[in-house]
Amino acid sequence: MKRPPHTDTEPRALAAALSSALPTNALKLGADIEERYRHDILRAKTAAPGILVRPATTAELSLAMRLCAEHRAVVVPFGGNTGFCGGSMTDDSGAQVLISLERMNQVRDIDPLNNTMTVEAGCILADLQERAAQANRLFPLSHGGEGSAQIGGCLSTNAGGNAVLRFGMARDLVLGLEVVLPDGRVLDALRGLRKDNAGYDLKQLFLGTEGTLGIITAAVLKLFPRARRRETALLAVPDVGRAVATLAFLRERLGEVITACELIPALGLDLSLEAINETRRPFAQRHDWHVLIEAETSSVHFALRDALEEALEEAVTSGLVIDAVLAESDADRTGLWKIREGIALAAVGDPSSLKNDQSVPCSSIERFVAEGDRAVRAVVPGARAVPFGHIGDGNIHFNVWRPTDMDAGAFVAHWPDLVRALEDVAMGLNGSIAAEHGIGSSKRAALGRVRDPVAVDLMRSVKRALDPDGRLNPGKVVP
Ligand SMILES: Cc1cc2nc3c(=O)[nH]c(=O)nc-3n(C[C@H](O)[C@H](O)[C@H](O)COP(=O)(O)OP(=O)(O)OC[C@H]3O[C@@H](n4cnc5c(N)ncnc54)[C@H](O)[C@@H]3O)c2cc1C
């Protein structure tokens, strides 16, 4: 008969086994575990891990996982803890084991001829971008959490971010993977091949599955030629329809060089400027909608600035764009991106603001914003919609701020109805309830509601096949 996972509130026997098997600095117990492992970034979920394991090598993690399996302990992987869905939180029992990858932070190899980089899961995303740049290469995954998010967390959530329209999601940037399985075995699929049809592509089981099937310890990532020319511009546009049309127009004119295209509403701009303490406004006049656009090329033979200016002139003449500010320096570029990222920071800074992560086909963005706005105000009259984000992949973060005269608690009580209303709008447009942040524990029930029952059944079968005792990150993702 299958034994259930361990639920003792004092996992002493496991702690003793781990402390005799692992170096002292790889282990912390109970009250010694610091505060930062006990809540998520939004402080929406709390946790009480009984044991914290911080392996420095794949072998140490494999050994720890084998001992956890013997003791039937529940294990939760923990990366940079920037996720928005509570995926890296243990429960409050004090019985679960938290595995932090932070000490596995080595770049094992950079191969410029193969355009690959082999890295450990605990490397910080921004550091990897920097390491690639030092090798005259680009690692294009980029998002607002990159200063703390680990590559293991990014891969296990299949993070998206700002350059998806050109380079794809995190999944598209991976060639090989090393994974420790729930029973401690190591899957070594660390190959840097662009063509490898030798059997099932098993790495896909661990990309975007949020640590429910295995713990990623290392990855071979794709690199690209480094950008030699880059242009960034903030555009004022009359409405969302023309924001979407502007991207299509610029892609027709400039081709694949467009890397990012972000929607910023007027209220999003205000909240951002406040959050980042910026007093200068990008435009003298107030506009309802803005688009942050970035184009880059590794070719010095492409006169990118001229091409962009010419296209923007045409866009202004045809009424797609009202006004444009082009970055003249790296400092200008950073300033424009700070405005974009400031919207997410403002949301993190106001715990009562509702964060959302739906996606729809790009051709339905305009309807999503209009219908979402109506749906939100039907639930909470006066609620302030801040739909912003990635136009190029249809991932609009439909954040909602409370009415100015409503207190935080009263607004938070409406969250479930607001989320449900927005999910219904997205699903009605053939969209998704989770574009890039994942499911974690917060959206698990919703996944069961909207996903085809056959798909849910298959997810459960895969989970049972890899984690038959249900010990790895239980209560996350799979409905
Ligand atoms: C300001 C801000 C802006 C953001 N913008 C974006 C954005 O534009 N696009 C986007 O996609 N995300 C964004 N995020 C969300 C977040 O940064 C990503 O989800 C990130 O990829 C999570 O990485 P992490 O290391 O913090 O993982 P964590 O939050 O620690 O964990 C996330 C999940 O992955 C699992 N996990 C962690 N490490 C591993 C591992 N090695 N093996 C297996 N499972 C593991 C955890 O158990 C959990 O389920 C943003 C976050 C912030 C704070």
Side-chain angles (χ1 to χ4, degrees):
M1 199 180 80
K2 220 167 68 175
R3 291 187 298 169
H6 166 101
T7 50
D8 289 353
T9 46
E10 289 184 55
R12 269 178 287 188
L14 173 58
L18 286 167
S19 50
S20 54
L22 296 174
T24 329
N25 57 353
L27 200 63
K28 285 206 173 176
L29 302 176
D32 286 343
I33 300 173
E34 293 99 328
E35 170 64 17
R36 68 190 181 92
Y37 301 103
R38 297 174 179 276
H39 58 80
D40 69 330
I41 188 168
L42 301 174
R43 294 188 178 258
K45 300 201 190 311
T46 55
I51 297 176
L52 169 67
V53 179
R54 300 185 312 139
T57 63
T58 305
E60 280 179 17
L61 177 58
S62 166
L63 180 57
M65 291 297 277
R66 204 151 43 73
L67 292 171
C68 289
E70 277 169 27
H71 289 259
R72 306 184 325 282
V74 164
V75 170
V76 176
F78 186 90
N81 199 19
T82 63
F84 288 135
C85 300
S88 56
M89 293 291 99
T90 67
D91 69 10
D92 284 327
S93 68
Q96 299 191 341
V97 179
L98 192 67
I99 306 270
S100 169
L101 280 297
E102 67 204 60
R103 294 177 66 231
M104 294 195 62
N105 57 5
Q106 301 300 308
V107 172
R108 292 187 187 167
D109 178 50
I110 296 186
D111 183 344
L113 285 183
N114 197 41
N115 275 310
T116 50
M117 169 164 75
T118 305
V119 307
E120 293 185 346
C123 292
I124 301 294
L125 176 55
D127 295 343
L128 292 182
Q129 295 162 356
E130 183 56 35
R131 289 296 296 270
Q134 284 164 9
N136 205 24
R137 293 291 181 271
L138 168 76
F139 180 57
L141 186 65
S142 170
H143 62 64
E146 65 195 22
S148 308
Q150 297 175 2
I151 190 66
C154 294
L155 300 184
S156 69
T157 55
N158 188 26
N162 304 331
V164 171
L165 81 94
R166 178 153 172 203
F167 295 102
M169 304 272 287
R171 177 193 303 285
D172 301 305
L173 301 171
V174 180
L175 293 174
L177 222 51
E178 180 187 80
V179 181
V180 176
L181 300 175
D183 60 11
R185 284 180 299 159
V186 178
L187 170 70
D188 180 357
L190 262 190
R191 279 178 296 278
L193 300 175
R194 283 168 175 80
K195 286 190 171 178
D196 181 10
N197 279 348
Y200 295 166
D201 185 3
L202 293 173
K203 68 176 180 295
Q204 299 299 343
L205 288 169
F206 307 98
L207 298 169
T209 50
E210 300 177 58
T212 58
L213 301 178
I215 302 186
I216 296 170
T217 45
V220 184
L221 304 173
K222 286 185 197 170
L223 298 178
F224 298 82
R226 195 150 74 97
R228 301 283 190 84
R229 292 190 172 161
R230 176 185 278 148
E231 297 297 338
T232 309
L234 186 67
L235 317 177
V237 293
D239 50 42
V240 177
R242 273 174 280 193
V244 178
T246 297
L247 173 61
F249 170 79
L250 290 176
R251 287 178 104 178
E252 278 162 24
R253 288 293 187 281
L254 274 73
E256 70 285 352
V257 294
I258 304 292
T259 312
C261 182
E262 301 287 306
L263 181 69
I264 303 177
L267 179 57
L269 184 81
D270 297 343
L271 291 164
S272 168
L273 294 177
E274 202 180 309
I276 62 175
N277 252 329
E278 175 60 71
T279 47
R280 279 169 308 154
R281 302 188 68 85
F283 296 103
Q285 224 185 315
R286 190 175 169 81
H287 299 284
D288 288 342
W289 296 97
H290 313 82
V291 170
L292 178 65
I293 197 105
E294 189 152 275
E296 60 186 43
T297 174
S298 54
S299 168
V300 287
H301 302 291
F302 183 14
L304 187 59
R305 177 77 174 207
D306 293 348
L308 181 62
E309 280 179 354
E310 198 179 301
L312 286 178
E313 264 174 44
E314 214 181 313
V316 171
T317 309
S318 66
L320 281 178
V321 170
I322 303 169
D323 201 355
V325 174
L326 272 80
E328 300 294 343
S329 62
D330 279 351
D332 282 357
R333 172 183 184 253
T334 308
L336 292 179
W337 273 105
K338 264 176 91 176
I339 292 177
R340 157 63 183 88
E341 300 304 354
I343 307 177
L345 294 178
V348 172
D350 180 350
S352 77
S353 70
L354 177 66
K355 291 90 184 153
N356 274 294
D357 178 40
Q358 291 89 11
S359 62
V360 295
C362 295
S363 44
S364 299
I365 290 177
E366 190 178 9
R367 273 186 69 191
F368 179 57
V369 171
E371 291 176 24
D373 196 40
R374 275 197 293 277
V376 158
R377 280 187 289 118
V379 177
V380 180
R384 293 170 296 156
V386 184
F388 74 101
H390 320 297
I391 298 181
D393 44 70
N395 175 201
I396 301 299
H397 297 297
F398 207 113
N399 288 1
V400 189
W401 257 257
R402 65 189 143 109
T404 42
D405 57 354
M406 184 181 264
D407 80 67
F411 184 64
V412 170
H414 289 292
W415 278 10
D417 293 337
L418 288 167
V419 172
R420 174 81 185 235
L422 286 166
E423 286 174 351
D424 287 348
V425 173
M427 293 309 290
L429 295 169
N430 223 353
S432 168
I433 62 161
E436 60 177 6
H437 294 162
I439 294 293
S441 53
S442 11
K443 291 193 191 164
R444 191 170 156 236
L447 188 69
R449 180 171 70 83
V450 302
R451 213 57 205 265
D452 163 32
V454 178
V456 171
D457 203 35
L458 283 177
M459 285 185 212
R460 289 185 180 137
S461 305
V462 172
K463 174 73 176 165
R464 269 196 304 274
L466 274 88
D467 181 22
D469 299 326
R471 290 183 306 98
L472 190 57
N473 220 357
K476 317 286 167 60
V477 187
V478 187

